[in-house]
Amino acid sequence: MIREVLVADAEEFLILLKEIDDSNRMLFNPGERTTTIEMQRKVLERFANDERSVFLVAEEEGEFLGYLGLISDDLERRKHVGRIVVGVSEKARGQGIGTKLFQSIFKWAEGKSFKRIELTVIRDNKPAYSLYRKMGFELEGEKVAALLIDGEFVNELYMYKLL
């Protein structure tokens, strides 16, 4: 089931975020996220009060398996843009959860004046890149040496989808 993350989900959601960070394919290094449950609760409260930003979660039998956040911009010149952050638990990859999360966010975004949705992905994360292409995202460019992972500089791909 795909649903919005609630403030009451803060602890379970934070567990999922930290688990996915451990994949070493996200912005945070494994173990680097220092967010507390209370801090996470406050983030979710801000999202609950923002009509144009949301976190969705894929949940099965009470367990969180993946998430997708769409974050809007308050600047007048960027109000038409939504930024995506997404992650799927390693144990749930390849089961269509990412596809369902994207389908749900596209439906959620309808009527909210988004023209452009954008995301980034580590260049060598081929499964994620393939999913994003399947969901209609186009490659926009490559940021060279954008991240330092395990002592090596890696490139980040910038992708977008026009709605």
Side-chain angles (χ1 to χ4, degrees), residues 32-68:
E32 184 177 18
R33 189 182 298 265
T34 59
T35 308
T36 65
I37 295 168
E38 185 56 34
M39 291 164 69
Q40 189 63 57
R41 191 173 288 116
K42 288 182 180 180
V43 168
L44 294 175
E45 286 171 356
R46 281 196 309 273
F47 271 71
N49 293 316
D50 184 344
E51 295 176 355
R52 298 186 69 247
S53 296
V54 69
F55 270 110
L56 301 179
V57 67
E59 181 180 23
E60 187 175 293
E61 297 179 11
E63 182 179 10
F64 288 2
L65 299 175
Y67 71 91
L68 189 149

Side-chain angles (χ1 to χ4, degrees), residues 39-151:
M39 291 164 69
Q40 189 63 57
R41 191 173 288 116
K42 288 182 180 180
V43 168
L44 294 175
E45 286 171 356
R46 281 196 309 273
F47 271 71
N49 293 316
D50 184 344
E51 295 176 355
R52 298 186 69 247
S53 296
V54 69
F55 270 110
L56 301 179
V57 67
E59 181 180 23
E60 187 175 293
E61 297 179 11
E63 182 179 10
F64 288 2
L65 299 175
Y67 71 91
L68 189 149
L70 186 143
I71 303 150
S72 66
D73 202 316
D74 290 334
L75 295 174
E76 193 63 37
R77 291 183 177 189
R78 288 192 42 92
K79 280 192 173 189
H80 65 287
V81 178
R83 190 169 32 93
I84 295 281
V85 292
V86 60
V88 176
S89 172
E90 192 169 337
K91 63 184 167 233
R93 291 185 190 143
Q95 298 176 23
I97 289 173
T99 298
K100 290 176 187 169
L101 285 164
F102 274 103
Q103 289 169 339
S104 296
I105 204 64
F106 295 149
K107 184 173 180 165
W108 181 90
E110 289 176 5
K112 291 186 172 62
S113 302
F114 287 104
K115 172 68 176 169
R116 174 188 168 94
I117 305 292
E118 58 191 30
L119 55 79
T120 63
V121 61
I122 294 170
R123 181 180 183 180
D124 69 352
N125 189 346
K126 293 183 187 339
Y129 180 78
S130 294
L131 170 65
Y132 305 153
R133 293 287 298 170
K134 176 179 131 181
M135 300 312 303
F137 285 82
E138 298 289 332
L139 179 63
E140 187 163 42
E142 184 168 353
K143 192 172 185 180
V144 177
L147 302 170
L148 180 63
I149 299 176
D150 295 333

Side-chain angles (χ1 to χ4, degrees), residues 24-27 29-30 122-124 143-156:
N24 212 24
R25 294 198 173 272
M26 303 301 283
L27 184 59
N29 280 319
I122 294 170
R123 181 180 183 180
D124 69 352
K143 192 172 185 180
V144 177
L147 302 170
L148 180 63
I149 299 176
D150 295 333
E152 293 192 30
F153 291 101
V154 298
N155 296 1
E156 196 172 32

